[in-house]
């Protein structure tokens, strides 16, 4: 991988089951980001209170070799994890986390995060390239993500890499005036 800022010094790969402490640590950092309230459905306080068994199961379920989900990380030159993205597989005939029916086999991108000091050099694109390739390789028909209507930075990025609004709006919580928007990328 390469970009003007030497992303070749970074490694992008799927997580391994035994790396749950690093997965937990990066998630806790992400949940302290200034826009975490727009980007994630959980809070730092909720996440930090979870037992290690939760993190172990979560990492195992999205580790290398899993066909239901895959978490990709980017590690910096020193080995520190600086970003992550996860793709969940949603099967046709099921319902999603918000109760909407899933009409076709698709990937659902969640947990997108890159540490601020590593943003702007192409790492998010590289993470998405890896995640999307995995999704296409396992035969999903499309990939979607849900983004808060006020998360301008994320909206601009998703549009730039080809995701388009589907017209589906998801209420943030029952009875809430805030909503999130579904963006999709069809299989190439």
């Amino acid at each position: 991988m390469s970009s003007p800022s030497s992303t070749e010094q970074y490694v992008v790969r799927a997580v391994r089951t035994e790396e749950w402490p690093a997965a937990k640590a990066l998630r806790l950092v992400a949940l302290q980001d200034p826009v975490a309230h727009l980007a994630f459905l959980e809070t730092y306080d909720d996440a930090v209170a979870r037992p290690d068994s939760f993190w172990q199961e979560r990492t195992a379920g999205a580790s290398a070799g899993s066909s239901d989900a895959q978490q990709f990380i980017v590690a910096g030159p020193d080995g520190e994890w600086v970003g992550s993205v996860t793709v969940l597989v949603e099967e046709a005939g099921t319902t999603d986390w918000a109760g909407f029916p899933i009409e076709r086999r698709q990937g659902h991108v969640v947990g997108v995060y890159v540490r601020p000091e590593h943003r702007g050099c192409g790492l998010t694109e590289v993470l998405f390239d890896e995640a999307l390739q995995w999704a296409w390789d396992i035969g999903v028909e499309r990939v979607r993500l849900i983004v808060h209507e006020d998360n301008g930075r994320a909206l601009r990025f998703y549009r730039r890499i080809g995701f388009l609004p589907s017209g589906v709006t998801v209420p943030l919580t029952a009875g809430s005036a805030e909503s999130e928007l579904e963006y999709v990328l069809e299989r190439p």
Side-chain angles (χ1 to χ4, degrees):
M1 75 185 82
S2 64
S3 83
S5 60
S6 298
T7 58
E8 66 271 359
Q9 298 175 22
Y10 294 84
V11 174
V12 177
R13 62 173 177 78
V15 298
R16 295 183 285 267
T17 300
E18 67 275 8
E19 294 176 314
W20 68 267
K24 174 184 176 181
L26 185 60
R27 179 65 171 192
L28 294 177
V29 168
L31 291 171
Q32 295 175 77
D33 189 271
V35 297
H37 67 287
L38 297 177
F40 304 110
L41 293 177
E42 71 179 330
T43 67
Y44 174 83
D45 290 339
D46 290 341
V48 78
R50 295 186 188 277
D52 286 347
S53 60
F54 169 84
W55 298 101
Q56 292 164 350
E57 290 171 21
R58 181 176 179 158
T59 305
S63 65
S66 173
S67 60
D68 296 329
Q70 196 88 173
Q71 180 180 6
F72 295 91
I73 59 95
V74 59
D78 60 358
E80 177 185 41
W81 288 12
V82 301
S84 177
V85 64
T86 301
V87 180
L88 310 173
V89 177
E90 297 175 323
E91 297 293 345
T94 63
T95 56
D96 69 8
W97 61 273
F100 288 95
I102 304 299
E103 296 175 359
R104 54 189 175 154
R105 189 167 197 254
Q106 61 191 15
H108 185 158
V109 172
V110 298
V112 179
Y113 179 73
V114 172
R115 292 177 187 261
E117 63 272 21
H118 295 274
R119 293 177 187 158
C121 67
L123 290 178
T124 310
E125 289 88 342
V126 174
L127 270 170
F128 264 77
D129 287 348
E130 197 75 20
L132 291 171
Q133 188 59 56
W134 177 80
W136 305 141
D137 287 350
I138 63 163
V140 302
E141 296 179 41
R142 73 177 193 163
V143 174
R144 73 177 184 143
L145 51 87
I146 309 293
V147 61
H148 193 283
E149 61 191 352
D150 294 335
N151 194 344
R153 183 180 74 215
L155 285 167
R156 286 186 300 278
F157 172 75
Y158 298 142
R159 282 182 182 264
R160 185 168 50 78
I161 65 168
F163 281 82
L164 299 172
S166 70
V168 173
T169 302
V170 181
L172 195 54
T173 58
S176 172
E178 288 186 284
S179 62
E180 296 190 319
L181 310 170
E182 180 186 67
Y183 275 64
V184 298
L185 181 65
E186 296 293 333
R187 184 178 184 84

